[in-house]
Amino acid sequence: MSLVGNWSYPTAIKFGAGRIKELADACAAAGIKKPLLVTDKGLADLPVTQGTLDIMEAAGLGRGMFFEVDPNPNEKNLDAGVAAYKAGGHDGVIAFGGGSGLDLGKMVAFMAGQTRPVWDFEDIGDWWTRADADAIAPIIAVPTTAGTGSEVGRASVITDSVTHQKKIIFHPKVLPTVVICDPELTVGMPKFITAGTGLDAFAHCVEAFSSPHYHPMSQGIALEGMRLVKDYLPRAYADGSDIEARAQMMSAAAMGATAFQKGLGAIHAMSHPVGAHFNTHHGTTNAVCMPAVLEFNASAIADRFTMAAAYLGIAGGFDGFRSFVQELNDSLGIPRGLSDLGVTEDAIPELVKGAIIDPSCGGNPIELTEDNLTRLFKAAM
């Protein structure tokens, strides 16, 4: 292991129940006077969103909103969002919602002032330096789910609607200026969204903990993030009004996304092409893939997860941890296989191709060759 790394934990977070009321102060801190709230279609008319628009309007910030965002947002959504941003004369973005609203909102702020196509800024090498950094609008992030952690990230995942590939678009200034984590905003989440997003956070922690790269801060955060999900996701699932559980899960989501600076692996390498081709829910897809990936990586991660299991209060070392993951999935209504999500065997070669080119592969402890990935997809079916 090379003891070298580039680390960053700069996000300013306002965490706590009721803190959405501080939205106007957050906009002022970011220098935003006329924000565009970007969210998804399912959230647009809900009280949680309308109440936020009311807060904006009362503060003299208007109530501009764009909500033509698909569950797996693509460049068409992005083009429409940028057009709405420019037409409304906005000077910043409030990225509001789950991963789709957060990711697209961040990209609207990023692309509104760029002259090159979004794919020129894919997270490959130093492509991010192609962007005009001075033209990136300020961003306030407000998560309404507890899973993706996109609110603390410097990238977004956008689906190429032509190639059906999910691509990571990165720039340091995509990191939101202020994040408002208000667990009251997550109370209305349906059970299946609570489960899928919560297990997305868990997958982030599991993969960061599995990654061989050197990042002891991320390793510690990933371990504690796993504990929070283990202890509080079943409570949030059983009782959506449990504010303590909702708050702890919102913490776990931010922790998972912070921890995966250490790297993601086969779970995300698989779920990204599956989501792009079959439009599946990202967190749920991660959860379905997780048991097969744990088995695949066993020879490289068993010792560290034996240690983790002891901290988490799970008996049986690595095998006990692996059993716990399947039992947790089952208790939250997660399907047992990708076929239950509509994935077909004949799609595996194309899914493998998408997995191999996905930058998320970089943190897997065992090389993800074409043969290995084919076996993984078949095992997860």
Side-chain angles (χ1 to χ4, degrees):
M1 179 185 292
S2 174
L3 304 186
V4 177
N6 298 312
W7 302 335
S8 180
Y9 293 87
T11 319
I13 301 174
K14 296 178 179 292
F15 188 99
R19 297 201 71 177
I20 190 61
K21 296 173 184 176
E22 300 175 39
L23 181 59
D25 292 337
C27 286
I32 301 173
K33 296 181 180 179
K34 192 176 182 182
L36 177 67
L37 187 145
V38 177
T39 191
D40 63 63
K41 300 170 186 176
L43 276 172
D45 293 327
L46 295 183
V48 67
T49 309
Q50 292 302 311
T52 301
L53 291 170
D54 291 343
I55 291 171
M56 291 166 53
E57 187 174 39
L61 299 171
R63 51 190 308 125
M65 178 171 65
F66 174 77
F67 58 86
E68 293 300 321
V69 180
D70 292 325
N72 291 292
N74 56 47
E75 82 283 0
K76 296 178 182 178
N77 300 153
L78 178 56
D79 290 344
V82 169
Y85 180 91
K86 292 179 176 178
H90 298 286
D91 62 354
V93 167
I94 298 171
F96 186 92
S100 56
L102 293 171
D103 275 10
L104 197 83
K106 285 159 46 176
M107 283 296 98
V108 168
F110 174 65
M111 287 299 298
Q114 305 302 321
T115 57
R116 303 177 68 145
V118 67
W119 309 131
D120 280 5
F121 309 112
E122 190 176 355
D123 189 17
I124 297 173
D126 65 352
W127 285 18
W128 64 271
T129 62
R130 298 169 172 177
D132 180 353
D134 293 334
I136 301 172
I139 303 163
I140 305 297
V142 183
T144 63
T145 66
T148 71
S150 182
E151 66 273 9
V152 297
R154 297 166 293 177
S156 291
V157 179
I158 303 295
T159 299
D160 185 329
S161 63
V162 176
T163 65
H164 300 290
Q165 294 171 352
K166 286 193 174 186
K167 297 182 178 180
I168 298 172
I169 312 301
F170 165 85
H171 194 282
K173 288 189 69 175
V174 168
L175 187 76
T177 303
V178 180
V179 176
I180 296 178
C181 285
D182 184 341
E184 290 181 351
L185 302 182
T186 70
V187 167
M189 274 197 295
K191 281 183 176 290
F192 80 97
I193 297 294
T194 296
T197 55
L199 289 168
D200 190 21
F202 191 68
H204 293 159
C205 293
V206 167
E207 291 210 281
F209 200 76
S210 300
S211 169
H213 301 315
Y214 179 65
H215 202 324
M217 290 186 287
S218 285
Q219 194 77 345
I221 291 171
L223 181 60
E224 177 64 3
M226 284 189 279
R227 186 190 71 81
L228 292 180
V229 175
K230 172 184 175 288
D231 291 351
Y232 292 101
L233 179 55
R235 281 178 49 178
Y237 183 79
D239 178 6
S241 65
D242 185 338
I243 287 294
E244 181 187 8
R246 291 296 196 187
Q248 297 284 18
M249 283 306 302
M250 189 162 263
S251 293
M255 292 167 71
T258 301
F260 72 58
Q261 288 189 32
K262 188 169 178 279
L264 293 172
I267 295 173
H268 278 75
M270 295 170 71
S271 69
H272 280 168
V274 168
H277 282 269
F278 294 94
N279 204 32
T280 58
H281 182 268
H282 174 66
T284 302
T285 310
N286 280 341
V288 172
C289 293
M290 201 179 313
V293 172
L294 287 170
E295 174 67 24
F296 173 76
N297 285 331
S299 63
I301 65 173
D303 287 348
R304 76 187 71 171
F305 275 92
T306 293
M307 177 188 68
Y311 177 77
L312 297 171
I314 296 171
F318 173 72
D319 289 338
F321 180 85
R322 188 171 50 188
S323 296
F324 160 77
V325 169
Q326 187 60 66
E327 291 164 6
L328 180 62
N329 278 359
D330 292 343
S331 71
L332 300 174
I334 299 298
R336 279 279 182 135
L338 290 174
S339 59
D340 298 317
L341 300 180
V343 180
T344 56
E345 289 267 1
D346 59 5
I348 289 178
E350 194 65 25
L351 298 176
V352 168
K353 178 182 175 183
I356 286 175
I357 65 173
D358 191 326
S360 296
C361 296
N364 205 70
I366 296 176
E367 184 181 3
L368 296 179
T369 63
E370 184 174 338
D371 286 345
N372 282 339
L373 281 161
T374 299
R375 286 195 291 271
L376 263 174
F377 276 113
K378 289 182 177 179
M381 290 294 290

